[in-house]
Amino acid sequence: MSSLTPANSRTMSPAIGAAIKLNPSPSPFLKSSPRSPVKASRAEISLALRQVIGTTTNSANAFDSLPSGRCFGYTAGAAAVIASVDGAHKVSQRFYRARPTTNPINPSASIYGGPSTPTQNESRNRTAASLRDAGFGGSPLASPGGHDWADSPGNRGAWTMKEKIKAATCVSFSPDGKFFAVGETGYKPRVLVFSAAPDAPSDTPLTSLADHTFGVNCLAFSPDSRYLASLGSANDGFLYIWHIHPRTGAATLHASNKCVSHINRMAWMGSKLITVGVRHVKVWKIEDLNVTLRISKARQSELSSLSSSMHKTLPGRNCILDGLKDATFTSVVAIAPNKAIVASDKGDICLIDDSESEQRFLKLVQAGFAVSSLAVDVKGRLHIAGSQGGLKTLNIPDITGILTPPPSPPPRVESPTISVTECDQIGVIACLKDYVITVDSQRAIRLSELCPVDDDAVVGDVVHTLPAHGNAVLGVHAGLLQPNVFDASYYTWAADGTIIFWSQGTFKGSLQVPLEQSNDPDAVSNELKTVRASAEANFLVAGDKFGVLKIIDCVTKIRTFEFKAHASEITSIAIHEEAEFTFVACASRDRTVQVFTRTRQAWDLLQTLDEHVGAVNGISFSPNGRRLVSSSSDRSLVVRELLSREDESGTTRAFIMLRAIMLKATPVSSAWDVDQDDALLVSTIDRQVHKFDIRTGQCLSNFRACDTDGGDAVVLSSLVHISRGWGLPLIAGVSSTDKSIRVYDESGSLIARDWGHTEGVSDIALVQTPGTVSGEPSEKSLITVAVDGTIFIWGLALQAPSRHDLSKSVDLLGPSTPSNHDLLANKPPLRRVFSQSELARFQRSSEDGDATPTGNKSPMLRKKISKFTLAQTPKLEPSPMPSITREGRIAGWQGQSSIRSRNKNRSPSPPSPRNPQMVKRRASMDVRNRSKAPANEFGSIGASTESLCRQLRAYRKRLANTSDTMSSELAKEVERELDATTRAIGDRVKPKEFDGTAMLNMLDQYSERFMNMLDEKITASVAQRVRESSVGFSEGAASPFLEQRPLRSRAGSAGLGSPTADGSNGDTLILETTEKLTME
């Protein structure tokens, strides 16, 4: 029977895909198309974490120190930081993170089956089949590593939003300084073991352990660095003891047990492990392996399956707490291989003595305050940190030498309490060789000197401080000129009113904005919402949640102006400074915008703007200060223009609404284009980024903020526009949707992205970093802040695209050919596209519309307005010409005016296909054709006139039906407006002047032609009657005409109008001729 086990054990390693390169690219994805030799490389922009300000450490589990290495580690969002202290008290940082898809160097399978990397959900119902599959490890093509992101086509399978880095909750150093362990939170967390060597990679762990289900609470290395204890949260309920290989860092499970209590701290006491928590003190005994595992490096992948069958149950024993059975124990520290000190939140200092395996629990002293953390220095002194920022130091021999059993109550320690911080509590304390490190409630890390043993002070002065915001950081801004009052490059502000100025991560100064609080216990607490400082940091403007606007002098730190500007919280502030005046605009949720101005060192309210119908969430001045743009939740952008008027009192300025730009979704943030003063970038809540021209209101471009593979899009809550000196600018933004920082180009392609914050990212700013090499572009820094209290500084390296020199292989370019930067083909093409409003200004000449189409020219089609389309088709009736003829025979000639009146009232004749001109002219004479179609197109003066007429008719109807009274001022205002409109219309439609002489000549000419035609017709008819009468006379036939002839001769010329039968022919001809002339 053939075995399913591979012959080569190396193929069982899940890291084989990263170790062996089967092709030149480490990416497991196939290339879609070969790269062009002149195509720019994709990796033109890199985003890297440079510095972290602040920490998310809230307990001693998230902080650890290594006295021998003069370094300490702590958590900061999704990263773990190792800070090293040099001889000059300077602190340098290294950051440790691992993407969810990163394969560790040492493969380690779960004890319940499956690879250690979180590829699939694993349940607690493990079977033997899963243990058998664990020996094969994970697929080498399961997911690309961190270095494969740029090579994966469409970024498929890369670090997606749903697999972002989880928050780091706990850290631990191995005593020998080789390893640094980090625990994560959330579902399916990992325990990552990194190499602490300075030259080791910080994004690839040695070992990744994913056996906990609901968060890792505590981590602790044993004193000999052989074992690592990992304790999950109360919902997880498991305690694991891992054996760590001293050379490779590979981990195998040694023992485990359930621990469902709420644990606050965990520490090793020799070969035993102590856990303390809520009514819980327990000692776990770790038994050493009886069999020494000697496994070669080639067969390390079999270690997991072997350990799965050999790991043991971890035995433990609870301590008898006696009178402290209801206490909550907060910290524990070992002072000897069989002794440890435990502290409670009531200030009780207790001793665990397991020298004789009796596990005695004794109460020693009372600290006098709630203890939050304990630490023991290298000189055998116990440091106690607690409430009110106090720090107390005790000599361990003094407190352990108290009589046993101790008296009741225990004596209070008479040791002085030292204050190293102004905060009300110290959460963490740790010791290095020469320093005592404290982390207070403001999350500031302080290094204090450790005095010699014979010094009574014990703890000396603070030699270095890593400041931070103790509350949620709500914003960052970098619009400062150099030099300025604080010599800073950017500033941040927190909800508690703290404003800190920074320069390249160095603290430069701070201000505290006083916030008014309501006395009502049920009222919402006040917060600092937004801050803007002047360009030289001479003053700053702060707005709070209650709508109060404060202007503070940064030099004297005195409030120079304070005003109740809004009825609700202030959401945004903008400042524009000029030599003669200064504008300050603030927006609020009360749907208004307030504009203040400073003249002669006095602040005054200039204008209140209320064009919006929703909460205003953004306000900004254009770079030249001529326009003021506000964004609102009513899905609109309002653009206002600055106008000034000179009068006797001086210059009066005001912002007049220029236009409103309507959006499809609510705008979230905006930023001005770095190259165009009138272009504005706007991100909306529908995950789009738009670019508008505020002069015309047109959308120049837009894209969806998503991954390159078109995956889940995000809402960019803050934007910055970055100029890179070559090519198009970049758009950087942060998103609270997935807590990421992203960099796009203007076409919408994702260039770079990263994660670091664990709470909502609130703002981003761009800071220019001075270049280190002359002639090279300087590196730009992106500053991101979040509500978790951390500030991340990212390095954005902008490199010019690298292109191959084709002239080395083929000499296609002459010596006079310009370089790539000077080529005209590399410049953007010219564009001049007319908008619809611009095209409407052009009008076709009437001659083009009236011309008869020929064979070479297609007939021009005129679009009808809906008014003509809905009109009823005229009813076509037979021509009334015969009836008119009969009337003419009876009534005779009644004159030309009567004929015209009858022609005017008759129905229109059917159109003749042989006379298109007559059909067209008849249609133009229709009374329903009130105006021409082109004049009524949208945006024309005709359409505006019709709209005004409809509004006036509706207004008159409203006046007739309403009973409301109207003030005389409003009536006069309406009268003035109507009078002005009437005059404007009269000026617009003045009658055109014409030449009277030419008109008279034309009338005389047509009158003469008309009379000549009548004479010719009459002469012809008379001649015809004479011939008929002569013929009838010669034949001797009786004729009625001859009977009436004498009367005609006696009547003379009057006989022409007699109603004779023969005279009717002449009348008919006259009618036909008159009708023809009338139609022409």
Side-chain angles (χ1 to χ4, degrees), residues 857-904:
K857 184 177 181 180
S858 300
M860 181 170 54
L861 301 179
R862 177 172 295 175
K863 181 181 179 181
K864 291 185 177 181
I865 306 179
S866 60
K867 179 168 50 180
F868 294 94
T869 305
L870 298 179
Q872 185 178 0
T873 305
K875 185 178 180 181
L876 301 179
E877 297 178 358
S879 176
M881 292 299 295
S883 62
I884 296 177
T885 305
R886 288 190 297 268
E887 291 176 1
R889 292 176 180 177
I890 299 172
W893 177 255
Q894 301 295 333
Q896 185 176 354
S897 60
S898 61
I899 297 174
R900 290 182 178 179
S901 63
R902 286 196 298 268
N903 290 337
K904 183 178 180 180

Side-chain angles (χ1 to χ4, degrees), residues 141-158:
L141 302 181
S143 57
H147 56 280
D148 298 330
W149 183 84
D151 292 332
S152 60
N155 196 22
R156 292 186 296 270

